[in-house]
Amino acid sequence: MGPLISCDDLPVTISPHPPSQPTEPAGHDGHAHPGPGHSSGPSSGHSPGHPSGHSHSHSHGPAAPVSQHLRKVIAAVLIPFAAAVFIGMAVLWPGGAPAHERTGVGFDRQTQQGTVVSLAQVDCKSVNAAQVPPTGNTSTPEGREAQAAQTGECKKATIEVGTGPEKGRTFVEIVQPGAPRQLEKGQEVVVAYAPDAPRDLQYSVVDVNRKLPMALLAGIFAVAVVVVGRMRGLFALIALVVSFGVLTLFILPAILQGSNPLLVAVIGASAIMLIALYMCHGLTARTSVAVLGTLVSLLLIGLLGSLFIGWAFLTGNTDDNTGLIHGLYPHIDMSGLLLAGVIIGSLGVLDDVTVTQTSAVWELHQADPSMGPRSLYRAAIRIGRDHIASVVNTLVLAYAGAALPLLLLFSIANSSMGSVANSELVAEEIVRTLVGSIGLVASVPVTTALAALVVSADRPGGQGPPATGPVRGRGRRRKR
């Protein structure tokens, strides 16, 4: 693969070995051999016919590059694939999200920044904050809340608009005692602006400004990643920024422009995969095998997702947000958007699984170069089984945690497990979880088999004739 320096290469270049006589590792005949011709077998690592044996006994970094023939085979697969991905991005590049007239509903409304400049306690009844239903029925939750609001103390907040054409303008917001969002003096808020409404109703508080704590948390995360991961952590952060760039500059605008969501997701996810894996793990055969394993798994997820989303008649239009998207852009295929989300959501965990399995095979080969592909596969798949159990459980719990309020509503309604699973809102999450999990499970044997085949054929050539001097001399050359 050439002299490219990756994160994996750093420990090798700074750890010279002393020129002293090495000791035979465990599993050899237990005798030191001062010169050539005394090897006890191919596993001793000192036979002139195995020039890579010395590298194994002294290097604890990444595996040596594979043979030139295998590099050509891997390049013949990956280079056309990478070219197709970036050509597809160029063809489908949207050039920004399409403009439209704001509806003023949900997220589709103008917003400005504001600050709470004063806060006063007022009687809720005096400001007509709530009214009991005309029937006087307070048995409903709405009626009880309205009655409590009339007898309680409300807050009268004065908000100053801090951005936009009417910067400095103030308006009043009444906060009821039972409101989930309470305001405090000096608090920064997000205000919605409705220019067509009466002047007294043009501004209203819609959220709290959380930019500072979010930015601080992101800074702590970045520092932790760099401190622990060092150069590899830094490259991982760069890859994360690139991934968000592909998502926000290509995938989302291209879908809004009317491109097929599945095609856009496959191309965008493939670009993220190529950039992130090679940036974090180096341009090596090991990374290339992980890329191939991830690609095969993504194709399987795409096929299964397309089959079962269509078979289960999942529309992808299940809540207010998807309904608003469909209303604004009726040409978007919502079921295709659901499948695109499944593919993108599975990519991050897939990268973890395929890289781990590939590294396991490479390390097993370095520990015992005499292992064949079958033995390597059997040893690495045992590691993969543990990984499967933990990753699948993680994925299921992640989706369950995200849908916890919805599951609570079904529990309150005493719905049976069958009726809950049959509802489209939950069925989407089930299909998303199971299809992604099947792809994760399949990635372990696929990636392990590819890595075992590639690393077993690792016979690098063009490294010069094997050294014939004593072992001590070889140690001095390694030190230089």
Side-chain angles (χ1 to χ4, degrees):
M1 286 291 177
L4 177 68
I5 301 298
S6 69
C7 303
D8 292 335
D9 297 322
L10 297 178
V12 181
T13 60
I14 60 176
S15 302
H17 293 272
S20 58
Q21 180 102 2
T23 303
E24 284 291 339
H28 292 263
D29 58 5
H31 300 285
H33 302 295
H38 297 277
S39 174
S40 62
S43 63
S44 65
H46 298 291
S47 172
H50 294 79
S52 62
H54 178 76
S55 174
H56 164 66
S57 63
H58 286 274
S59 174
H60 301 281
V66 297
S67 63
Q68 186 175 1
H69 173 69
L70 279 176
R71 277 183 283 171
K72 290 181 178 179
V73 172
I74 294 174
V77 175
L78 288 180
I79 290 178
F81 168 68
V85 167
F86 291 108
I87 290 174
M89 288 186 68
V91 171
L92 297 177
W93 192 263
H100 72 280
E101 186 177 352
R102 290 184 180 272
T103 62
V105 178
F107 291 104
D108 192 41
R109 51 186 167 182
Q110 299 183 39
T111 58
Q112 304 292 346
Q113 302 299 315
T115 305
V116 180
V117 293
S118 66
L119 206 63
Q121 296 283 345
V122 295
D123 183 61
C124 291
K125 191 173 183 179
S126 66
V127 293
N128 197 27
Q131 293 181 349
V132 178
T135 59
N137 182 13
T138 58
S139 61
T140 63
E142 295 83 1
R144 288 193 297 269
E145 290 177 6
Q147 187 178 51
Q150 278 195 329
T151 58
E153 289 289 325
C154 292
K155 293 180 181 180
K156 184 178 181 181
T158 302
I159 315 296
E160 181 180 345
V161 180
T163 59
E166 295 187 305
K167 180 179 179 180
R169 176 179 167 181
T170 61
F171 66 96
V172 173
E173 182 90 4
I174 301 299
V175 183
Q176 298 183 20
R181 181 177 58 245
Q182 297 294 317
L183 300 180
E184 299 177 2
K185 185 178 179 180
Q187 188 176 35
E188 295 185 353
V189 293
V190 179
V191 298
Y193 175 55
D196 297 333
R199 182 170 177 81
D200 293 341
L201 302 176
Q202 286 181 337
Y203 286 96
S204 61
V205 176
V206 293
D207 210 342
V208 175
N209 191 332
R210 304 179 181 89
K211 291 182 180 179
L212 180 58
M214 299 291 284
L216 180 60
L217 182 60
I220 295 173
F221 165 74
V223 170
V225 169
V226 173
V227 168
V228 177
R230 298 187 180 181
M231 287 301 297
R232 180 169 295 182
L234 178 61
F235 282 120
L237 290 177
I238 296 173
L240 181 63
V241 173
V242 172
S243 299
F244 273 106
V246 173
L247 180 65
T248 57
L249 299 178
F250 171 68
I251 295 179
L252 299 180
I255 292 175
L256 292 178
Q257 289 279 14
S259 299
N260 184 282
L262 177 58
L263 180 61
V264 171
V266 169
I267 293 176
S270 299
I272 291 173
M273 173 187 67
L274 290 170
I275 295 171
L277 286 180
Y278 282 117
M279 184 174 291
C280 292
H281 303 285
L283 193 63
T284 63
R286 179 189 299 192
T287 309
S288 299
V289 171
V291 168
L292 289 174
T294 306
L295 175 61
V296 173
S297 303
L298 281 178
L299 291 176
L300 177 62
I301 290 173
L303 291 174
L304 287 176
S306 179
L307 172 64
F308 284 95
I309 286 175
W311 194 3
F313 297 100
L314 299 178
T315 63
N317 190 358
T318 54
D319 56 23
D320 294 339
N321 294 329
T322 54
L324 179 59
I325 293 173
H326 184 65
L328 294 174
Y329 301 96
H331 57 272
I332 293 180
D333 179 10
M334 299 303 294
S335 60
L337 187 63
L338 172 62
L339 180 56
V342 173
I343 293 174
I344 295 173
S346 303
L347 178 61
V349 189
L350 270 178
D351 288 351
D352 173 49
V353 173
T354 55
V355 169
T356 301
Q357 283 305 112
T358 306
S359 297
V361 172
W362 244 264
E363 294 301 326
L364 287 169
H365 176 69
Q366 284 187 311
D368 186 1
S370 64
M371 294 178 69
R374 188 182 299 272
S375 299
L376 279 173
Y377 178 84
R378 285 200 297 261
I381 203 67
R382 288 194 291 270
I383 301 173
R385 292 190 185 107
D386 292 336
H387 206 180
I388 286 173
S390 61
V391 167
V392 168
N393 193 46
T394 299
L395 194 62
V396 171
L397 290 179
Y399 283 125
L404 196 58
L406 177 64
L407 297 178
L408 283 175
L409 289 177
F410 282 112
S411 179
I412 292 171
N414 292 323
S415 301
S416 66
M417 188 63 68
S419 61
V420 169
N422 189 65
S423 65
E424 183 172 0
L425 205 56
V426 176
E428 279 189 5
E429 300 303 324
I430 293 175
V431 170
R432 192 195 311 269
T433 302
L434 296 182
V435 168
S437 298
I438 291 172
L440 290 175
V441 171
S443 70
V444 172
V446 169
T447 307
T448 304
L450 287 173
L453 290 174
V454 170
V455 80
S456 297
D458 186 0
R459 298 292 184 268
Q463 296 182 355
T468 57
V471 174
R472 190 178 299 273
R474 272 190 261 172
R476 284 195 294 271
R477 285 195 295 274
R478 164 66 80 176
K479 186 176 181 179
R480 286 200 307 260

